[in-house]
Amino acid sequence: QLMPKVHMVVVSDVVVCGNVGTSLVSYSILGPMVKAAFDLVSLNKSIGTTVLLPAQTFSEVEAEFTGRPVDVVALPVLHRRRSTGDPAMLSVAEASRTAGTVIIELTGAKFS
């Protein structure tokens, strides 16, 4: 029996979700992480994995799940100022000078 191909990405950040800018019932999700998720779905399809997470998101769930690093990519939206503690986003030029984001493939659940 054939199983459908599934490509999923899990990212974590603050987003705006809801009926934005119209009186019609049409929900939208807005925020910089939406673009990052879209980019990671493309990566997921190209390397043939199922579930990908940025290392920052994986650190939030690694007590319950196992994973393996699969790539390091430049996702400027995921690079934040660390030296000053300022959570403002880095510009694309600033992010290109920083190390990339480690991407983790979720491989399973940990059993207790």
Side-chain angles (χ1 to χ4, degrees):
Q1 179 179 4
L2 292 176
M3 295 297 293
K5 290 274 188 185
V6 176
H7 302 286
M8 185 181 348
V9 171
V10 179
V11 294
S12 57
D13 201 12
V14 176
V15 296
V16 175
C17 178
N19 196 21
V20 180
T22 181
S23 60
L24 299 173
V25 178
S26 175
Y27 286 91
S28 300
I29 302 173
L30 305 172
M33 290 305 289
V34 176
K35 170 73 169 116
F38 182 79
D39 292 343
L40 288 177
V41 167
S42 296
L43 173 67
N44 204 351
K45 290 177 183 178
S46 70
I47 62 177
T49 51
T50 304
V51 181
L52 292 182
L53 302 88
Q56 300 92 310
T57 301
F58 182 71
S59 68
E60 298 173 24
V61 299
E62 67 182 323
E64 292 86 23
F65 295 95
T66 59
R68 68 180 183 95
V70 294
D71 205 347
V72 177
V73 297
L75 292 173
V77 71
L78 296 177
H79 295 281
R80 299 182 185 268
R81 297 177 203 262
R82 292 185 180 93
S83 61
T84 63
D86 180 2
M89 298 293 177
L90 293 175
S91 70
V92 173
E94 290 172 310
S96 67
R97 292 191 300 269
T98 66
T101 300
V102 176
I103 305 301
I104 307 293
E105 177 187 17
L106 202 63
T107 57
K110 292 182 179 177
F111 297 100
S112 49

